[in-house]
PDB file of all heavy atoms in Angstrom:
ATOM      1  N   HIS A  21     -20.248  20.377 -80.672  1.00  0.00           N
ATOM      2  CA  HIS A  21     -19.426  20.100 -79.551  1.00  0.00           C
ATOM      3  C   HIS A  21     -18.144  19.416 -79.820  1.00  0.00           C
ATOM      4  O   HIS A  21     -17.065  19.717 -79.322  1.00  0.00           O
ATOM      5  CB  HIS A  21     -20.214  19.305 -78.493  1.00  0.00           C
ATOM      6  CG  HIS A  21     -21.371  20.098 -77.850  1.00  0.00           C
ATOM      7  ND1 HIS A  21     -22.405  19.504 -77.287  1.00  0.00           N
ATOM      8  CD2 HIS A  21     -21.553  21.422 -77.820  1.00  0.00           C
ATOM      9  CE1 HIS A  21     -23.264  20.441 -76.819  1.00  0.00           C
ATOM     10  NE2 HIS A  21     -22.740  21.601 -77.145  1.00  0.00           N
ATOM     11  N   LEU A  22     -18.195  18.462 -80.750  1.00  0.00           N
ATOM     12  CA  LEU A  22     -16.989  17.770 -81.171  1.00  0.00           C
ATOM     13  C   LEU A  22     -15.990  18.708 -81.817  1.00  0.00           C
ATOM     14  O   LEU A  22     -14.797  18.642 -81.614  1.00  0.00           O
ATOM     15  CB  LEU A  22     -17.348  16.639 -82.155  1.00  0.00           C
ATOM     16  CG  LEU A  22     -16.174  15.806 -82.641  1.00  0.00           C
ATOM     17  CD1 LEU A  22     -15.527  15.079 -81.543  1.00  0.00           C
ATOM     18  CD2 LEU A  22     -16.714  14.799 -83.703  1.00  0.00           C
ATOM     19  N   ILE A  23     -16.456  19.630 -82.603  1.00  0.00           N
ATOM     20  CA  ILE A  23     -15.596  20.622 -83.264  1.00  0.00           C
ATOM     21  C   ILE A  23     -14.934  21.551 -82.204  1.00  0.00           C
ATOM     22  O   ILE A  23     -13.736  21.853 -82.288  1.00  0.00           O
ATOM     23  CB  ILE A  23     -16.399  21.448 -84.329  1.00  0.00           C
ATOM     24  CG1 ILE A  23     -16.785  20.567 -85.495  1.00  0.00           C
ATOM     25  CG2 ILE A  23     -15.571  22.659 -84.805  1.00  0.00           C
ATOM     26  CD1 ILE A  23     -17.744  21.180 -86.490  1.00  0.00           C
ATOM     27  N   LEU A  24     -15.750  21.931 -81.160  1.00  0.00           N
ATOM     28  CA  LEU A  24     -15.139  22.775 -80.131  1.00  0.00           C
ATOM     29  C   LEU A  24     -14.070  22.048 -79.390  1.00  0.00           C
ATOM     30  O   LEU A  24     -12.996  22.591 -79.082  1.00  0.00           O
ATOM     31  CB  LEU A  24     -16.278  23.173 -79.123  1.00  0.00           C
ATOM     32  CG  LEU A  24     -17.272  24.195 -79.558  1.00  0.00           C
ATOM     33  CD1 LEU A  24     -18.351  24.336 -78.541  1.00  0.00           C
ATOM     34  CD2 LEU A  24     -16.536  25.533 -79.780  1.00  0.00           C
ATOM     35  N   VAL A  25     -14.299  20.757 -79.024  1.00  0.00           N
ATOM     36  CA  VAL A  25     -13.269  19.947 -78.352  1.00  0.00           C
ATOM     37  C   VAL A  25     -12.044  19.786 -79.200  1.00  0.00           C
ATOM     38  O   VAL A  25     -10.915  19.903 -78.770  1.00  0.00           O
ATOM     39  CB  VAL A  25     -13.860  18.594 -77.908  1.00  0.00           C
ATOM     40  CG1 VAL A  25     -12.765  17.668 -77.441  1.00  0.00           C
ATOM     41  CG2 VAL A  25     -14.920  18.762 -76.870  1.00  0.00           C
ATOM     42  N   ALA A  26     -12.254  19.514 -80.547  1.00  0.00           N
ATOM     43  CA  ALA A  26     -11.159  19.295 -81.485  1.00  0.00           C
ATOM     44  C   ALA A  26     -10.337  20.562 -81.597  1.00  0.00           C
ATOM     45  O   ALA A  26      -9.064  20.497 -81.619  1.00  0.00           O
ATOM     46  CB  ALA A  26     -11.654  18.770 -82.803  1.00  0.00           C
ATOM     47  N   ALA A  27     -10.962  21.686 -81.723  1.00  0.00           N
ATOM     48  CA  ALA A  27     -10.239  22.948 -81.858  1.00  0.00           C
ATOM     49  C   ALA A  27      -9.427  23.264 -80.616  1.00  0.00           C
ATOM     50  O   ALA A  27      -8.254  23.638 -80.680  1.00  0.00           O
ATOM     51  CB  ALA A  27     -11.208  24.081 -82.121  1.00  0.00           C
ATOM     52  N   GLY A  28     -10.043  23.134 -79.409  1.00  0.00           N
ATOM     53  CA  GLY A  28      -9.343  23.369 -78.191  1.00  0.00           C
ATOM     54  C   GLY A  28      -8.163  22.363 -78.054  1.00  0.00           C
ATOM     55  O   GLY A  28      -7.098  22.688 -77.617  1.00  0.00           O
ATOM     56  N   GLY A  29      -8.435  21.099 -78.431  1.00  0.00           N
ATOM     57  CA  GLY A  29      -7.398  20.045 -78.341  1.00  0.00           C
ATOM     58  C   GLY A  29      -6.182  20.379 -79.235  1.00  0.00           C
ATOM     59  O   GLY A  29      -5.048  20.150 -78.859  1.00  0.00           O
ATOM     60  N   ALA A  30      -6.425  20.866 -80.396  1.00  0.00           N
ATOM     61  CA  ALA A  30      -5.314  21.230 -81.288  1.00  0.00           C
ATOM     62  C   ALA A  30      -4.472  22.308 -80.683  1.00  0.00           C
ATOM     63  O   ALA A  30      -3.233  22.296 -80.727  1.00  0.00           O
ATOM     64  CB  ALA A  30      -5.869  21.698 -82.676  1.00  0.00           C
ATOM     65  N   ILE A  31      -5.123  23.328 -80.123  1.00  0.00           N
ATOM     66  CA  ILE A  31      -4.359  24.425 -79.465  1.00  0.00           C
ATOM     67  C   ILE A  31      -3.618  23.854 -78.256  1.00  0.00           C
ATOM     68  O   ILE A  31      -2.408  24.136 -78.068  1.00  0.00           O
ATOM     69  CB  ILE A  31      -5.328  25.532 -79.046  1.00  0.00           C
ATOM     70  CG1 ILE A  31      -5.929  26.217 -80.291  1.00  0.00           C
ATOM     71  CG2 ILE A  31      -4.581  26.582 -78.169  1.00  0.00           C
ATOM     72  CD1 ILE A  31      -7.103  27.123 -79.944  1.00  0.00           C
ATOM     73  N   GLY A  32      -4.269  23.060 -77.436  1.00  0.00           N
ATOM     74  CA  GLY A  32      -3.631  22.536 -76.231  1.00  0.00           C
ATOM     75  C   GLY A  32      -2.438  21.632 -76.595  1.00  0.00           C
ATOM     76  O   GLY A  32      -1.382  21.709 -75.995  1.00  0.00           O
ATOM     77  N   ALA A  33      -2.611  20.786 -77.534  1.00  0.00           N
ATOM     78  CA  ALA A  33      -1.535  19.848 -77.908  1.00  0.00           C
ATOM     79  C   ALA A  33      -0.331  20.653 -78.533  1.00  0.00           C
ATOM     80  O   ALA A  33       0.833  20.328 -78.258  1.00  0.00           O
ATOM     81  CB  ALA A  33      -2.018  18.844 -78.951  1.00  0.00           C
ATOM     82  N   ARG A  36       1.449  22.107 -75.604  1.00  0.00           N
ATOM     83  CA  ARG A  36       2.251  21.079 -74.941  1.00  0.00           C
ATOM     84  C   ARG A  36       3.577  20.834 -75.686  1.00  0.00           C
ATOM     85  O   ARG A  36       4.625  20.770 -75.107  1.00  0.00           O
ATOM     86  CB  ARG A  36       1.458  19.781 -74.834  1.00  0.00           C
ATOM     87  CG  ARG A  36       2.224  18.654 -74.158  1.00  0.00           C
ATOM     88  CD  ARG A  36       1.479  17.387 -73.983  1.00  0.00           C
ATOM     89  NE  ARG A  36       1.102  16.819 -75.282  1.00  0.00           N
ATOM     90  CZ  ARG A  36      -0.059  16.415 -75.622  1.00  0.00           C
ATOM     91  NH1 ARG A  36      -1.114  16.533 -74.794  1.00  0.00           N
ATOM     92  NH2 ARG A  36      -0.275  15.924 -76.803  1.00  0.00           N
ATOM     93  N   MET A  66      -6.778  23.901 -64.829  1.00  0.00           N
ATOM     94  CA  MET A  66      -8.073  23.191 -64.776  1.00  0.00           C
ATOM     95  C   MET A  66      -8.799  23.670 -63.500  1.00  0.00           C
ATOM     96  O   MET A  66     -10.021  23.864 -63.595  1.00  0.00           O
ATOM     97  CB  MET A  66      -7.881  21.699 -64.776  1.00  0.00           C
ATOM     98  CG  MET A  66      -9.144  20.897 -64.736  1.00  0.00           C
ATOM     99  SD  MET A  66     -10.113  21.049 -66.292  1.00  0.00           S
ATOM    100  CE  MET A  66      -9.327  19.811 -67.283  1.00  0.00           C
ATOM    101  N   GLU A  82     -20.600  24.819 -73.805  1.00  0.00           N
ATOM    102  CA  GLU A  82     -19.700  24.935 -74.970  1.00  0.00           C
ATOM    103  C   GLU A  82     -18.350  25.498 -74.545  1.00  0.00           C
ATOM    104  O   GLU A  82     -17.284  25.018 -74.993  1.00  0.00           O
ATOM    105  CB  GLU A  82     -20.295  25.781 -76.083  1.00  0.00           C
ATOM    106  CG  GLU A  82     -21.482  25.127 -76.790  1.00  0.00           C
ATOM    107  CD  GLU A  82     -22.786  25.130 -76.012  1.00  0.00           C
ATOM    108  OE1 GLU A  82     -22.881  25.896 -75.007  1.00  0.00           O
ATOM    109  OE2 GLU A  82     -23.677  24.410 -76.397  1.00  0.00           O
ATOM    110  N   LEU A  83     -18.283  26.536 -73.724  1.00  0.00           N
ATOM    111  CA  LEU A  83     -17.079  27.162 -73.250  1.00  0.00           C
ATOM    112  C   LEU A  83     -16.269  26.127 -72.383  1.00  0.00           C
ATOM    113  O   LEU A  83     -15.093  25.993 -72.531  1.00  0.00           O
ATOM    114  CB  LEU A  83     -17.327  28.444 -72.508  1.00  0.00           C
ATOM    115  CG  LEU A  83     -16.024  29.152 -72.078  1.00  0.00           C
ATOM    116  CD1 LEU A  83     -15.134  29.510 -73.246  1.00  0.00           C
ATOM    117  CD2 LEU A  83     -16.417  30.414 -71.311  1.00  0.00           C
ATOM    118  N   ARG A  84     -17.016  25.424 -71.515  1.00  0.00           N
ATOM    119  CA  ARG A  84     -16.349  24.427 -70.691  1.00  0.00           C
ATOM    120  C   ARG A  84     -15.769  23.257 -71.533  1.00  0.00           C
ATOM    121  O   ARG A  84     -14.703  22.791 -71.320  1.00  0.00           O
ATOM    122  CB  ARG A  84     -17.315  23.858 -69.659  1.00  0.00           C
ATOM    123  CG  ARG A  84     -17.583  24.810 -68.523  1.00  0.00           C
ATOM    124  CD  ARG A  84     -18.463  24.263 -67.484  1.00  0.00           C
ATOM    125  NE  ARG A  84     -19.809  24.553 -67.893  1.00  0.00           N
ATOM    126  CZ  ARG A  84     -20.872  24.035 -67.336  1.00  0.00           C
ATOM    127  NH1 ARG A  84     -20.749  23.209 -66.271  1.00  0.00           N
ATOM    128  NH2 ARG A  84     -22.119  24.336 -67.737  1.00  0.00           N
ATOM    129  N   LEU A  85     -16.499  22.867 -72.563  1.00  0.00           N
ATOM    130  CA  LEU A  85     -15.960  21.826 -73.460  1.00  0.00           C
ATOM    131  C   LEU A  85     -14.728  22.313 -74.149  1.00  0.00           C
ATOM    132  O   LEU A  85     -13.738  21.535 -74.236  1.00  0.00           O
ATOM    133  CB  LEU A  85     -17.072  21.416 -74.539  1.00  0.00           C
ATOM    134  CG  LEU A  85     -18.132  20.508 -74.022  1.00  0.00           C
ATOM    135  CD1 LEU A  85     -19.184  20.339 -75.131  1.00  0.00           C
ATOM    136  CD2 LEU A  85     -17.576  19.169 -73.629  1.00  0.00           C
ATOM    137  N   PHE A  86     -14.766  23.545 -74.675  1.00  0.00           N
ATOM    138  CA  PHE A  86     -13.559  24.031 -75.362  1.00  0.00           C
ATOM    139  C   PHE A  86     -12.362  24.188 -74.458  1.00  0.00           C
ATOM    140  O   PHE A  86     -11.307  23.737 -74.794  1.00  0.00           O
ATOM    141  CB  PHE A  86     -13.909  25.429 -76.007  1.00  0.00           C
ATOM    142  CG  PHE A  86     -12.753  26.046 -76.651  1.00  0.00           C
ATOM    143  CD1 PHE A  86     -12.307  25.669 -77.893  1.00  0.00           C
ATOM    144  CD2 PHE A  86     -12.038  27.119 -76.022  1.00  0.00           C
ATOM    145  CE1 PHE A  86     -11.193  26.300 -78.486  1.00  0.00           C
ATOM    146  CE2 PHE A  86     -10.944  27.704 -76.602  1.00  0.00           C
ATOM    147  CZ  PHE A  86     -10.520  27.323 -77.861  1.00  0.00           C
ATOM    148  N   LEU A  87     -12.592  24.822 -73.258  1.00  0.00           N
ATOM    149  CA  LEU A  87     -11.453  25.032 -72.354  1.00  0.00           C
ATOM    150  C   LEU A  87     -10.967  23.806 -71.621  1.00  0.00           C
ATOM    151  O   LEU A  87      -9.819  23.491 -71.650  1.00  0.00           O
ATOM    152  CB  LEU A  87     -11.852  26.144 -71.369  1.00  0.00           C
ATOM    153  CG  LEU A  87     -12.000  27.542 -71.899  1.00  0.00           C
ATOM    154  CD1 LEU A  87     -12.531  28.472 -70.775  1.00  0.00           C
ATOM    155  CD2 LEU A  87     -10.742  28.072 -72.512  1.00  0.00           C
ATOM    156  N   ALA A  88     -11.898  23.119 -70.950  1.00  0.00           N
ATOM    157  CA  ALA A  88     -11.527  22.004 -70.032  1.00  0.00           C
ATOM    158  C   ALA A  88     -11.197  20.736 -70.832  1.00  0.00           C
ATOM    159  O   ALA A  88     -10.112  20.148 -70.675  1.00  0.00           O
ATOM    160  CB  ALA A  88     -12.620  21.745 -69.040  1.00  0.00           C
ATOM    161  N   VAL A  89     -12.156  20.286 -71.648  1.00  0.00           N
ATOM    162  CA  VAL A  89     -11.979  19.002 -72.396  1.00  0.00           C
ATOM    163  C   VAL A  89     -10.991  19.208 -73.558  1.00  0.00           C
ATOM    164  O   VAL A  89     -10.088  18.405 -73.719  1.00  0.00           O
ATOM    165  CB  VAL A  89     -13.270  18.457 -72.855  1.00  0.00           C
ATOM    166  CG1 VAL A  89     -13.095  17.163 -73.633  1.00  0.00           C
ATOM    167  CG2 VAL A  89     -14.290  18.279 -71.693  1.00  0.00           C
ATOM    168  N   GLY A  90     -11.197  20.259 -74.323  1.00  0.00           N
ATOM    169  CA  GLY A  90     -10.341  20.533 -75.495  1.00  0.00           C
ATOM    170  C   GLY A  90      -8.952  21.050 -75.147  1.00  0.00           C
ATOM    171  O   GLY A  90      -7.976  20.355 -75.233  1.00  0.00           O
ATOM    172  N   LEU A  91      -8.919  22.360 -74.797  1.00  0.00           N
ATOM    173  CA  LEU A  91      -7.639  23.025 -74.571  1.00  0.00           C
ATOM    174  C   LEU A  91      -6.790  22.405 -73.534  1.00  0.00           C
ATOM    175  O   LEU A  91      -5.641  21.973 -73.765  1.00  0.00           O
ATOM    176  CB  LEU A  91      -7.880  24.459 -74.255  1.00  0.00           C
ATOM    177  CG  LEU A  91      -6.621  25.337 -74.080  1.00  0.00           C
ATOM    178  CD1 LEU A  91      -6.018  25.642 -75.424  1.00  0.00           C
ATOM    179  CD2 LEU A  91      -6.976  26.602 -73.343  1.00  0.00           C
ATOM    180  N   LEU A  92      -7.337  22.232 -72.364  1.00  0.00           N
ATOM    181  CA  LEU A  92      -6.506  21.671 -71.205  1.00  0.00           C
ATOM    182  C   LEU A  92      -6.399  20.147 -71.374  1.00  0.00           C
ATOM    183  O   LEU A  92      -5.379  19.583 -71.017  1.00  0.00           O
ATOM    184  CB  LEU A  92      -7.124  22.051 -69.839  1.00  0.00           C
ATOM    185  CG  LEU A  92      -7.030  23.504 -69.575  1.00  0.00           C
ATOM    186  CD1 LEU A  92      -7.765  23.855 -68.270  1.00  0.00           C
ATOM    187  CD2 LEU A  92      -5.566  23.958 -69.497  1.00  0.00           C
ATOM    188  N   GLY A  93      -7.417  19.510 -71.939  1.00  0.00           N
ATOM    189  CA  GLY A  93      -7.294  18.036 -72.216  1.00  0.00           C
ATOM    190  C   GLY A  93      -6.186  17.796 -73.267  1.00  0.00           C
ATOM    191  O   GLY A  93      -5.507  16.759 -73.169  1.00  0.00           O
ATOM    192  N   GLY A  94      -6.071  18.666 -74.223  1.00  0.00           N
ATOM    193  CA  GLY A  94      -5.035  18.520 -75.245  1.00  0.00           C
ATOM    194  C   GLY A  94      -3.653  18.970 -74.691  1.00  0.00           C
ATOM    195  O   GLY A  94      -2.630  18.388 -75.113  1.00  0.00           O
ATOM    196  N   PHE A  95      -3.686  19.894 -73.767  1.00  0.00           N
ATOM    197  CA  PHE A  95      -2.433  20.368 -73.168  1.00  0.00           C
ATOM    198  C   PHE A  95      -1.881  19.240 -72.268  1.00  0.00           C
ATOM    199  O   PHE A  95      -0.709  18.926 -72.328  1.00  0.00           O
ATOM    200  CB  PHE A  95      -2.671  21.596 -72.345  1.00  0.00           C
ATOM    201  CG  PHE A  95      -1.459  22.245 -71.775  1.00  0.00           C
ATOM    202  CD1 PHE A  95      -0.423  22.646 -72.574  1.00  0.00           C
ATOM    203  CD2 PHE A  95      -1.412  22.500 -70.395  1.00  0.00           C
ATOM    204  CE1 PHE A  95       0.736  23.265 -72.037  1.00  0.00           C
ATOM    205  CE2 PHE A  95      -0.294  23.116 -69.856  1.00  0.00           C
ATOM    206  CZ  PHE A  95       0.771  23.498 -70.706  1.00  0.00           C
ATOM    207  N   THR A  96      -2.728  18.675 -71.452  1.00  0.00           N
ATOM    208  CA  THR A  96      -2.309  17.495 -70.631  1.00  0.00           C
ATOM    209  C   THR A  96      -3.543  16.738 -70.163  1.00  0.00           C
ATOM    210  O   THR A  96      -4.445  17.333 -69.569  1.00  0.00           O
ATOM    211  CB  THR A  96      -1.524  17.962 -69.376  1.00  0.00           C
ATOM    212  OG1 THR A  96      -1.363  16.822 -68.527  1.00  0.00           O
ATOM    213  CG2 THR A  96      -2.153  19.075 -68.645  1.00  0.00           C
ATOM    214  N   THR A  97      -3.573  15.482 -70.434  1.00  0.00           N
ATOM    215  CA  THR A  97      -4.694  14.663 -69.947  1.00  0.00           C
ATOM    216  C   THR A  97      -4.580  14.500 -68.408  1.00  0.00           C
ATOM    217  O   THR A  97      -5.501  14.107 -67.739  1.00  0.00           O
ATOM    218  CB  THR A  97      -4.762  13.275 -70.572  1.00  0.00           C
ATOM    219  OG1 THR A  97      -3.529  12.619 -70.385  1.00  0.00           O
ATOM    220  CG2 THR A  97      -5.098  13.426 -72.055  1.00  0.00           C
ATOM    221  N   SER A  99      -4.465  16.835 -66.348  1.00  0.00           N
ATOM    222  CA  SER A  99      -5.426  17.766 -65.728  1.00  0.00           C
ATOM    223  C   SER A  99      -6.752  17.154 -65.617  1.00  0.00           C
ATOM    224  O   SER A  99      -7.472  17.388 -64.628  1.00  0.00           O
ATOM    225  CB  SER A  99      -5.440  19.096 -66.507  1.00  0.00           C
ATOM    226  OG  SER A  99      -5.908  18.867 -67.826  1.00  0.00           O
ATOM    227  N   SER A 100      -7.232  16.412 -66.574  1.00  0.00           N
ATOM    228  CA  SER A 100      -8.540  15.742 -66.552  1.00  0.00           C
ATOM    229  C   SER A 100      -8.452  14.651 -65.428  1.00  0.00           C
ATOM    230  O   SER A 100      -9.446  14.504 -64.671  1.00  0.00           O
ATOM    231  CB  SER A 100      -8.872  15.128 -67.880  1.00  0.00           C
ATOM    232  OG  SER A 100      -9.020  16.123 -68.883  1.00  0.00           O
TER     233      SER A 100
END
Side-chain angles (χ1 to χ4, degrees):
H21 289 160
L22 181 61
I23 292 169
L24 287 172
V25 170
I31 295 167
R36 179 178 64 230
M66 182 68 83
E82 289 78 13
L83 183 59
R84 284 183 274 171
L85 283 172
F86 176 78
L87 292 174
V89 179
L91 183 76
L92 292 174
F95 185 57
T96 171
T97 57
S99 61
S100 296

